[in-house]
Amino acid sequence: MWKMLTVAMCVALLGCLQAQELQGHVSIILLGATGDLAKKYLWQGLFQLYLDEAGRGHSFSFHGAALTAPKQGQELMAKALESLSCPKDMEPSHCAEHKDQFLQLSRYHQLKTAEDYQALNKDIEAQLQPAGLREAGRIFYFSVPPFAYADIARNINSSCRPGPGAWLRVVLEKPFGHDHLSAQQLATELRSFFQEEEMYRVDHYLGKQAVAQILPFRDQNRKALDGLWNRHHVERVEIIMKETVDAEGRTSFYEEYGVIRDVLQNHLTEILTLVAMELPHSVSSVEAVLRHKLRLFQALRGLQRASAVVGQYQAYSEQVRRELQKLDSFHSLTPTFAGVLVHVDNLRWEGVPFILMSGKALDERVGYARILFKNQACCVQSEKHWAAAQSQCLPRQLVFYIGHGDLGSPAVLVSRNLFRPSLPSSWKEVEGPPGLRLFGSPLSSYYAYSPVQERDAYSILLSHIYHGRKDSFITTENLLASWGFWTPLLESLAHTAPRLYPGGAENGHLLDFEFSSGQLFFSQQQPEQLVPGPGSASMPSDFQVLRAKYRESPLVSAWSEELISKLATDIEATAVQAVRHFGQFHLALSGGSSPVALFQQLATAHYGFPWAHTHLWLVDERCVPLSDPESNFQGLQAHLLQHVRVPYLNIHPMPVHLQQRLCAEEDHGAQLYAREISTLVANSSFDLVLLGMGTDGHTASLFPQSPTGLDGEQLVVLTTSPSQPHRRMSLSLPLINRAKKVAVLVMGRMKREITMLVSRVGHDPKKWPISGVLPHSGQLVWYMDYDAFLG
């Protein structure tokens, strides 16, 4: 009896709760309601949400908002709502009925001032009171440019938050910043108005069905994949998004962001994390998935200039000139195509290349993540006897096919000679048109699955937002980790002229690229050339390595890649000659970003370099632990030392970290390094010293307006930098001038001003330390790229 009473009470209580839930009301406010994204996807997604959820617990109201005046805004919104469509299997009469209901629930608001937001809040509250509804929550969808986020967020926070017991969800569209610093600033600003759990950053690729299936597929097929998902079996991973359209009509956006920020930093990076991250015990745990994603970011090897190839379709600059009213002489450096080589430095993926590639004006529209497995089989019988679907000698691959292309729909493809996969009931096995080939194999050689019902990414994401599911959205930590990974590459490419390509099928093999030793390069060589002005008939052959004089010393100038190649060749020749005559080569290297490409060139393209007889010294060092990313030695280790075989005793880091202290005078680190140089380097005369030049005229860690290290007997000195970290250790100017050869590497357009200035000044090292570099009995050679030399 007691059991029956308990059950009855529970049923009654559940009924009451459900009744209460039915009275809950959700208001959805679409900011930017008359924009392109709203018209193309968001209103349709909201209508689909209404079709799915109406009558299941909440009542709804939909509020379109924009800066447009009420009458015009209402007309534009009504026009956007005319194109709403229902699922194919819905009766036309039911569709018309639901559409009419949705239109009645939708209204337009001009949101321009603080008073407008207060009026919106009153309107929402007025809808609740007569019907006796409880407010469940509000969704604000920001379909507006990021520069408007702060003002909107401030107004929502002050005037439009729901009352106690109701939730707030704020949906943010990319771009989320332009680089790591701007993303951090935007995140800090938004955090002052919203809590992390209230923010939903949209990457619509996470709503695409094939992408959303990556983690569940890996989870559901753990048994089959556990032994395959690693460096021993995976040859490479390709993550690709190709487009046939160009950037016409969007050049203002593209000029600011370019293809890497538009596609690779977000969409393709998210796919990379889903493919490469360690699989948590439960893929349904949002916290566990995020934790494993962040661990993957920590394992990504830093990107350098040589990690990427970039291109630009030929009509782009003309489109920019026309749309942004630029001068006829304007030529854009914005890439519309990029291929990037990524490596994951952990036990699972060590040595496996991950290729990320995207571009506009290409030969097809398609997106996919393709895992290509190594083929270790050797079939004795000839190919004509192979079993079409099962031979181990056929390619073995797993493809998450995002859409479009020859297949035309989302799919998961697994080579039949791998394993038969397990997928949820919402996916069905399919057969494509006869004769269809994908990735070098007929479709019949794959187990192929596609969704039972195809759904638009935005409708899926809006459903997740409504249900409070955060696993398909970008957290602040995730965002900043991604920008931290991509920003160094973006900075290194800022002044790089992309390869021009005609667009479409005419591209041929012009954009094909290869990878080797951590570097990417175009397969077809194309001479670098200055961008000609109107009426110019200059040929690429007119612009090769320029030899001239700078400050009465030899100057070598070329495009950056050719310049680095020339400098690396000169250093190798100097090394070979020194070893031939003296048995060893003493090379002192500067740190910073300029020589990174040189280090990589020496590591990967100079196999005759006498590393076994080379001693490596530091020109200067920041007073940080040698393991710190800021350390010059750490940069040398990452980009050169780990790739070549230099005897351990021939590597000479500066002793900036002694007695658990950094650059303490009483530890005499500078004197120790000077003593080591005097002991090992004949006459303390390095065979070659590589220097750079700062925008203020400093070189090594010898700075303007500071006499330290400019003269006197000291070989090594402690100095103070105007930028952090302030304490430095440096070779002195007298020691640098004892060298047999000094090479000064100057790269980048930001150096153009100081290059012009230093060309005119005399010998004045206190104002311009670089002007004091003149070896007493050696040679000084300047290596400048065209950006620094010509601007």
Side-chain angles (χ1 to χ4, degrees):
M1 179 68 72
W2 279 110
K3 284 183 181 177
M4 290 175 67
L5 283 171
T6 303
V7 170
M9 287 172 66
C10 287
V11 169
L13 182 60
L14 183 60
C16 290
L17 289 171
Q18 286 174 336
Q20 278 189 328
E21 185 69 12
L22 280 167
Q23 293 178 17
H25 185 80
V26 175
S27 304
I28 301 178
I29 302 94
L30 175 54
L31 297 135
T34 58
D36 281 345
L37 183 65
K39 286 187 281 190
K40 285 180 181 175
Y41 300 109
L42 299 180
W43 279 118
Q44 180 62 46
L46 291 173
F47 181 47
Q48 186 62 52
L49 177 68
Y50 177 70
L51 293 176
D52 292 341
E53 303 296 340
R56 289 189 180 179
H58 292 139
S59 58
F60 290 91
S61 60
F62 299 91
H63 305 263
L67 297 173
T68 313
K71 186 180 178 184
Q72 186 185 359
Q74 184 63 52
E75 289 171 359
L76 290 169
M77 192 174 112
K79 194 170 182 180
L81 295 178
E82 283 174 10
S83 59
L84 297 178
S85 60
C86 298
K88 292 175 185 176
D89 57 355
M90 182 176 282
E91 290 286 335
S93 59
H94 287 168
C95 177
E97 183 184 338
H98 286 301
K99 191 172 175 180
D100 187 54
Q101 290 170 355
F102 183 80
L103 293 175
Q104 288 179 34
L105 294 172
S106 304
R107 59 183 71 187
Y108 178 80
H109 305 261
Q110 182 183 30
L111 288 184
K112 205 170 184 179
T113 65
E115 290 75 23
D116 291 335
Y117 284 87
Q118 292 163 10
L120 170 64
N121 187 57
K122 286 178 183 173
D123 188 51
I124 292 172
E125 289 176 348
Q127 286 181 294
L128 301 172
Q129 291 164 1
L133 294 170
R134 177 186 63 84
E135 184 166 26
R138 298 180 189 180
I139 297 173
F140 283 86
Y141 200 116
F142 286 40
S143 180
V144 296
F147 65 75
Y149 283 5
D151 282 343
I152 294 171
R154 187 178 295 106
N155 282 310
I156 291 172
N157 189 55
S158 62
S159 308
C160 273
R161 276 189 171 273
W167 45 257
L168 171 67
R169 291 172 192 154
V170 175
V171 189
L172 306 163
E173 275 283 347
K174 78 175 184 74
F176 311 118
H178 185 265
D179 54 19
H180 187 265
L181 179 62
S182 59
Q184 204 160 34
Q185 289 170 340
L186 182 58
T188 301
E189 206 162 23
L190 289 170
R191 263 204 211 106
S192 65
F193 302 115
F194 306 126
Q195 297 172 32
E196 181 68 30
E197 59 267 24
E198 292 176 328
M199 291 187 284
Y200 290 70
R201 288 186 185 85
V202 170
D203 183 328
H204 76 274
Y205 258 58
L206 292 178
K208 289 187 178 286
Q209 287 168 291
V211 176
Q213 188 57 221
I214 295 174
L215 277 189
F217 180 91
R218 289 182 58 192
D219 183 46
Q220 214 164 341
N221 294 277
R222 280 180 194 255
K223 191 173 180 182
L225 288 174
D226 270 352
L228 293 171
W229 212 250
N230 56 60
R231 60 193 168 99
H232 302 297
H233 295 278
V234 175
E235 181 180 310
R236 69 182 185 196
V237 177
E238 299 171 358
I239 303 173
I240 308 296
M241 190 190 113
K242 296 168 69 177
E243 295 184 276
T244 54
V245 298
D246 61 20
E248 190 167 16
R250 294 184 70 219
T251 56
S252 60
F253 170 84
Y254 235 71
E255 269 302 274
E256 188 174 356
Y257 290 95
V259 69
I260 295 178
R261 291 181 175 90
D262 185 35
V263 179
L264 280 80
Q265 179 273 325
N266 36 71
H267 305 327
L268 302 196
T269 301
E270 283 303 305
I271 297 172
L272 168 68
T273 62
L274 296 173
V275 169
M277 63 183 269
E278 292 299 311
L279 208 55
H281 179 70
S282 169
V283 296
S284 59
S285 167
V286 178
E287 294 79 11
V289 169
L290 173 62
R291 193 164 57 249
H292 284 72
K293 274 188 174 184
L294 293 173
R295 282 181 194 161
L296 180 81
F297 276 114
Q298 291 166 3
L300 293 177
R301 187 185 302 171
L303 295 173
Q304 305 299 334
R305 170 65 190 87
S307 305
V309 289
V310 291
Q312 182 192 98
Y313 64 84
Q314 284 173 345
Y316 178 77
S317 282
E318 172 55 34
Q319 291 171 349
V320 174
R321 288 194 288 270
R322 185 173 65 251
E323 293 180 16
L324 302 185
Q325 299 179 335
K326 298 282 188 180
L327 295 174
D328 289 346
S329 59
F330 174 80
H331 287 268
S332 173
L333 294 179
T334 300
T336 61
F337 166 87
V340 178
L341 176 63
V342 176
H343 279 101
V344 183
D345 288 332
N346 61 20
L347 285 175
R348 183 179 294 279
W349 296 114
E350 185 182 6
V352 177
F354 286 75
I355 306 294
L356 277 59
M357 186 266 280
S358 184
K360 290 190 173 292
L362 300 181
D363 61 326
E364 63 175 338
R365 183 186 183 191
V366 70
Y368 57 84
R370 178 190 181 213
I371 297 89
L372 183 64
F373 294 89
K374 295 175 182 176
N375 198 334
Q376 296 163 328
C378 181
C379 297
V380 175
Q381 285 189 300
S382 63
E383 189 174 344
K384 62 186 176 185
H385 297 298
W386 292 356
Q390 286 140 356
S391 171
Q392 287 303 303
C393 287
L394 288 167
R396 303 193 306 159
Q397 45 200 335
L398 192 165
V399 183
F400 297 98
Y401 199 89
I402 298 166
H404 305 293
D406 292 333
L407 198 54
S409 63
V412 175
L413 310 173
V414 181
S415 294
R416 288 181 180 268
N417 56 3
L418 271 173
F419 61 91
R420 175 181 275 279
S422 173
L423 276 93
S425 58
S426 56
W427 288 69
K428 62 183 179 183
E429 198 163 356
V430 294
E431 293 179 10
L436 177 61
R437 294 180 67 84
L438 293 169
F439 308 103
S441 299
L443 188 61
S444 59
S445 70
Y446 298 98
Y447 295 112
Y449 296 81
S450 68
V452 172
Q453 181 186 2
E454 280 191 50
R455 293 193 63 186
D456 171 68
Y458 279 100
S459 69
I460 291 172
L461 292 175
L462 283 165
S463 175
H464 289 184
I465 295 161
Y466 169 73
H467 288 287
R469 283 183 51 185
K470 294 211 70 173
D471 52 325
S472 301
F473 301 91
I474 311 300
T475 65
T476 302
E477 279 185 292
N478 195 156
L479 173 70
L480 296 180
S482 180
W483 273 120
F485 175 63
W486 285 100
T487 297
L489 176 66
L490 289 163
E491 290 174 349
S492 73
L493 290 171
H495 304 294
T496 299
R499 168 172 289 197
L500 297 179
Y501 59 96
E506 293 179 28
N507 295 334
H509 297 290
L510 193 62
L511 295 178
D512 291 353
F513 55 86
E514 302 171 22
F515 52 90
S516 175
S517 303
Q519 292 186 305
L520 273 190
F521 48 89
F522 285 116
S523 302
Q524 285 191 1
Q525 292 303 308
Q526 175 177 290
E528 296 282 4
Q529 55 182 303
L530 288 173
V531 179
S536 169
S538 302
M539 300 299 291
S541 56
D542 296 338
F543 303 101
Q544 301 301 321
V545 174
L546 173 67
R547 299 179 183 278
K549 290 275 187 180
Y550 180 81
R551 291 183 58 82
E552 305 303 317
S553 293
L555 166 71
V556 178
S557 191
W559 289 113
S560 56
E561 289 183 18
E562 193 172 5
L563 181 72
I564 290 296
S565 178
K566 172 64 177 163
L567 176 54
T569 300
D570 289 353
I571 292 174
E572 182 177 15
T574 305
V576 169
Q577 187 176 20
V579 171
R580 187 183 299 130
H581 286 101
F582 308 109
Q584 54 190 0
F585 174 56
H586 288 276
L587 173 63
L589 295 169
S590 289
S593 58
S594 291
V596 166
L598 172 68
F599 296 163
Q600 293 172 336
Q601 178 79 7
L602 288 170
T604 58
H606 290 265
Y607 299 107
F609 202 103
W611 292 115
H613 304 283
T614 296
H615 285 258
L616 290 175
W617 303 83
L618 271 294
V619 166
D620 64 329
E621 182 59 278
R622 297 172 171 91
C623 292
V624 296
L626 295 184
S627 59
D628 192 294
E630 291 275 327
S631 163
N632 286 341
F633 179 77
Q634 186 56 230
L636 184 65
Q637 164 70 20
H639 302 297
L640 180 63
L641 294 181
Q642 69 173 349
H643 304 293
V644 297
R645 294 185 178 180
V646 180
Y648 176 77
L649 293 174
N650 288 11
I651 301 170
H652 307 281
M654 281 185 158
V656 293
H657 197 187
L658 298 171
Q659 308 294 332
Q660 303 299 312
R661 296 179 292 197
L662 292 170
C663 294
E665 295 274 2
E666 55 269 33
D667 292 333
H668 306 295
Q671 293 89 324
L672 283 173
Y673 205 56
R675 197 175 307 134
E676 190 177 1
I677 292 169
S678 299
T679 302
L680 295 175
V681 183
N683 302 317
S684 299
S685 175
F686 291 109
D687 295 300
L688 193 149
V689 174
L690 176 70
L691 298 176
M693 179 169 69
T695 54
D696 59 354
H698 84 263
T699 192
S701 281
L702 307 173
F703 298 98
Q705 315 307 325
S706 171
T708 309
L710 299 181
D711 50 29
E713 297 298 319
Q714 280 186 280
L715 301 183
V716 183
V717 293
L718 291 176
T719 66
T720 303
S721 166
S723 59
Q724 291 187 333
H726 297 300
R727 292 291 280 163
R728 307 287 176 95
M729 185 179 289
S730 177
L731 303 187
S732 69
L733 191 57
L735 177 58
I736 289 169
N737 284 333
R738 287 191 196 183
K740 295 168 186 170
K741 181 174 181 179
V742 176
V744 183
L745 177 62
V746 187
M747 295 177 66
R749 194 165 293 178
M750 67 179 69
K751 300 290 178 69
R752 171 62 180 146
E753 195 172 321
I754 189 65
T755 300
M756 289 180 65
L757 185 61
V758 169
S759 71
R760 298 193 295 263
V761 302
H763 181 85
D764 192 357
K766 287 188 178 178
K767 286 184 73 175
W768 322 104
I770 190 69
S771 72
V773 176
L774 192 62
H776 304 312
S777 56
Q779 183 188 32
L780 170 63
V781 181
W782 295 82
Y783 292 81
M784 291 187 189
D785 71 354
Y786 286 141
D787 282 331
F789 185 53
L790 300 174

